[in-house]
Amino acid sequence: MTESLAVRGLAYAYPDGTQALFGVDLTVARGERVALLGPNGAGKTTLVLHLNGILTPGLGGVSVGGLPVTKANLKEIRRRVGLVFQDPDDQLFMPTVREDVAFGPANLGLRGEELERRVTWALDRVGMLGEIDRAPHHLSFGQRRRVAVATVLAMEPEILVLDEPSSNLDPAARRELAEILRSLDVTVLMVTHDLPYALELCERSLILSGGVIVADGPTRELLADSALLAAHRLELPYGFAVPAS
Amino acid sequence: MRRLHRPGDTPVHRLPPQCKLLAVLGFALAVVSTPREAFWAFAGHAVLLGLVAAAARVPPPFVVRRMAVETPFVLFAVLLPVVGRGPYTELWGVELSVEGLWAGWNILAKASLGVAASILLAATTEPRALLLGARRLRLPALLVQIATFMLRYADVVLGEMRRMRIARESRGFAARDVRHLPVVAKSAGALFIRSYERGERVHLAMLSRGYDGVMPALYDPPASARQWAVAAALPGAACAVALAAWIEVSGIGVPGMGVSGMGAG
């Protein structure tokens, strides 16, 4: 089994001394879709920012597709890890969709026809090719989130890391995004506290709480364990029960 | 807020932005260097702009309405004949400074032509394309980047501002007089911090996609010699007008108000 992502003993304290991660261990195999669950303040975003070397671990380390995250490898690491941020307005900073999707591959040195092919391919995968020449701020929120996914797909990442992909989406946009994610042939780490969404998309889940991984197993089993969920401030929405398989 | 850009598909719209930027700059320089005594020359410049507007299918009212930005200059120009020094002349029973009249006319004519030319540029060029043109003309990359981000995030920040105002008003606040200023000032401060934090998040997103301090050059095709030649028509014609005006003014002189009179103010 090849590992897309391996995190070993990762510990991190913010410069003000607040310890956010206390030794995180996790692996994601190639082609897997894994949910990283945890309440607000569990350290989810801090962990995510380590995956592509934005934050440097105090202890331990991360490797992506076998390549350790170090300063020297940063360029390749950032190609391999496609980070989709929670607020698409943070992610989409160029004046048009086309330029925004081209930004990543252009930083990798792609130009001309090859660049154009990447851009149209990525937008086609998320069903946004028709909006290629529009300005991001003229798109609906759901469309912006899909374009945000395309911006990292265009870099042909080893692993797609999504930070709260379902937040602020209406039910239809949420379902459309799920269909797109399912259709992609790529490893996914999905950071969320939307438990039904995790169940819908990911076979396996991890629970991050208090800066450590406290559970790792099939999503269905974890969500059925109400004592485990309650101990880590996770709750299924009202009226939701894990459907029998 | 009136939109400046008027989408279209005319030869003027199709010209590369860098050509249009330089054409407008050249036109403005020609207008500014036209002697103020040559009234006909300013009419000539106006006709040139009229031709460009016709080619771009921009109706005159579109331009005229947007010329309101010029108002402060107009007020200043109107004031000059009143506050200027002698010699004086009488117009409709009001004593006006001759030099002030010339100076006022000079500012009014030249500023109006410059503003009209800029409006035509903005009407036929998308803001985005203007920035590409500026970049193509080797304007400092950092400034162009800042302007690009401003363009992208103006709506986001304005939306945030609007939501903050609605939130204030929903809790019974209405800015009526100067005592409410501290509240508005605090909102402005909060908006600044929010925008700053957004800037940091955007920077992280950029780093995550391999940004290393230089924006990759995308989609700005160079202009052909033919396009440059087409764009040069406006400043070229304006230069010819200005030159003709100079020859006339310095050669024959305007009765009573020749070149010698220009330096007197």
Side-chain angles (χ1 to χ4, degrees):
Chain A
M1 191 165 78
T2 354
E3 285 167 354
S4 270
L5 176 71
V7 179
R8 302 259 176 265
L10 182 67
Y12 179 77
Y14 277 97
D16 68 358
T18 317
Q19 184 92 15
L21 300 175
F22 294 86
V24 171
D25 287 283
L26 67 92
T27 55
V28 177
R30 186 160 292 158
E32 232 184 340
R33 272 201 304 269
V34 177
L36 181 67
L37 310 174
N40 287 336
K44 299 192 298 277
T45 303
T46 308
L47 175 58
V48 164
L49 292 178
H50 277 91
L51 302 184
N52 70 350
I54 298 261
L55 293 178
T56 314
L59 269 178
V62 179
S63 67
V64 181
L67 187 72
V69 178
T70 60
K71 267 227 154 66
N73 295 337
L74 224 46
K75 209 177 169 98
E76 172 61 13
I77 287 294
R78 287 182 180 165
R79 184 196 71 73
R80 290 188 184 192
V81 179
L83 220 59
V84 180
F85 288 81
Q86 189 172 349
D87 184 348
D89 274 330
D90 295 342
Q91 181 118 17
L92 307 176
F93 45 81
M94 295 293 267
T96 64
V97 166
R98 179 196 299 273
E99 287 166 278
D100 216 299
V101 178
F103 180 82
N107 281 327
L108 300 176
L110 264 61
R111 291 290 183 275
E113 202 138 292
E114 206 186 341
L115 179 63
E116 188 64 26
R117 226 181 15 250
R118 275 283 180 100
V119 171
T120 49
W121 171 82
L123 281 171
D124 190 37
R125 296 310 305 271
V126 300
M128 290 295 293
L129 197 50
E131 323 294 327
I132 188 166
D133 284 316
R134 293 185 62 189
H137 53 273
H138 291 157
L139 302 176
S140 75
F141 195 86
Q143 288 176 319
R144 269 181 275 170
R145 170 115 345 124
R146 274 147 68 183
V147 173
V149 172
T151 63
V152 298
L153 279 185
M155 299 176 78
E156 298 190 335
E158 164 91 34
I159 180 166
L160 198 60
V161 180
L162 302 150
D163 193 359
E164 299 289 0
S166 61
S167 67
N168 288 326
L169 293 182
D170 60 32
R174 183 184 147 93
R175 175 186 45 76
E176 284 160 4
L177 183 67
E179 283 164 8
I180 288 163
L181 292 177
R182 245 197 308 266
S183 76
L184 298 175
D185 182 26
V186 62
T187 312
V188 172
L189 180 68
M190 192 172 107
V191 179
T192 187
H193 46 222
D194 181 345
L195 305 184
Y197 213 52
L199 180 65
E200 190 180 342
L201 283 167
C202 305
E203 283 270 293
R204 179 180 154 220
S205 286
L206 309 162
I207 296 180
L208 180 72
S209 180
V212 289
I213 299 287
V214 295
D216 178 350
T219 309
R220 184 172 295 278
E221 284 173 25
L222 295 190
L223 297 197
D225 187 344
S226 45
L228 174 73
L229 295 185
H232 302 290
R233 279 190 69 78
L234 289 168
E235 276 175 27
L236 290 166
Y238 175 75
F240 185 89
V242 179
S245 46
Chain B
M1 206 169 77
R2 283 208 178 90
R3 288 198 70 82
L4 276 171
H5 184 239
R6 190 183 153 85
D9 188 29
T10 69
V12 184
H13 282 86
R14 278 194 298 268
L15 271 182
Q18 61 267 36
C19 302
K20 285 189 269 188
L21 271 170
L22 275 194
V24 168
L25 181 68
F27 176 79
L29 289 176
V31 167
V32 169
S33 46
T34 303
R36 61 188 182 179
E37 293 80 5
F39 293 113
W40 64 268
F42 292 98
H45 290 316
V47 168
L48 288 177
L49 284 187
L51 290 176
V52 174
R57 303 226 178 89
V58 177
F62 180 93
V63 178
V64 173
R65 271 202 298 272
R66 281 156 186 77
M67 284 181 74
V69 289
E70 205 199 347
T71 314
F73 293 94
V74 174
L75 289 179
F76 180 65
V78 168
L79 226 60
L80 280 177
V82 184
V83 300
R85 296 175 164 220
Y88 296 97
T89 181
E90 224 182 78
L91 200 67
W92 299 310
V94 187
E95 198 170 66
L96 294 171
S97 151
V98 173
E99 180 53 31
L101 275 172
W102 277 115
W105 149 253
N106 195 30
I107 290 177
L108 198 61
K110 292 179 177 175
S112 303
L113 286 165
V115 168
S118 313
I119 291 171
L120 281 177
L121 172 68
T124 57
T125 321
E126 279 182 54
R128 172 69 197 132
L130 278 177
L131 291 173
L132 285 178
R135 185 181 155 133
R136 196 82 209 173
L137 293 174
R138 305 274 154 84
L139 255 70
L142 199 61
L143 292 183
V144 177
Q145 265 187 52
I146 291 173
T148 309
F149 283 115
M150 203 177 78
L151 190 67
R152 165 67 181 87
Y153 285 102
D155 281 2
V156 175
V157 174
L158 283 178
E160 217 147 347
M161 204 161 91
R162 208 196 56 220
R163 286 195 298 276
M164 286 167 76
R165 181 177 54 77
I166 291 173
R168 280 200 309 267
E169 288 172 4
S170 305
R171 286 186 282 156
F173 176 84
R176 267 183 302 267
D177 60 48
V178 72
R179 280 169 306 168
H180 294 117
L181 219 53
V183 176
V184 177
K186 276 177 197 134
S187 300
L191 186 66
F192 173 78
I193 300 212
R194 282 194 199 180
S195 304
Y196 185 88
E197 286 176 346
R198 181 177 297 278
E200 288 189 320
R201 291 198 305 271
V202 171
H203 186 237
L204 283 186
M206 292 171 73
L207 288 179
S208 299
R209 284 196 276 151
Y211 176 73
D212 53 5
V214 185
M215 289 300 245
L218 301 166
Y219 312 114
D220 48 344
S224 70
R226 225 194 106 248
Q227 288 168 319
W228 278 113
V230 171
L234 175 70
C239 279
V241 170
L243 203 64
W246 268 113
I247 291 168
E248 189 212 71
V249 168
S250 55
I252 310 160
V254 177
M257 199 66 223
V259 180
S260 58
M262 276 186 66

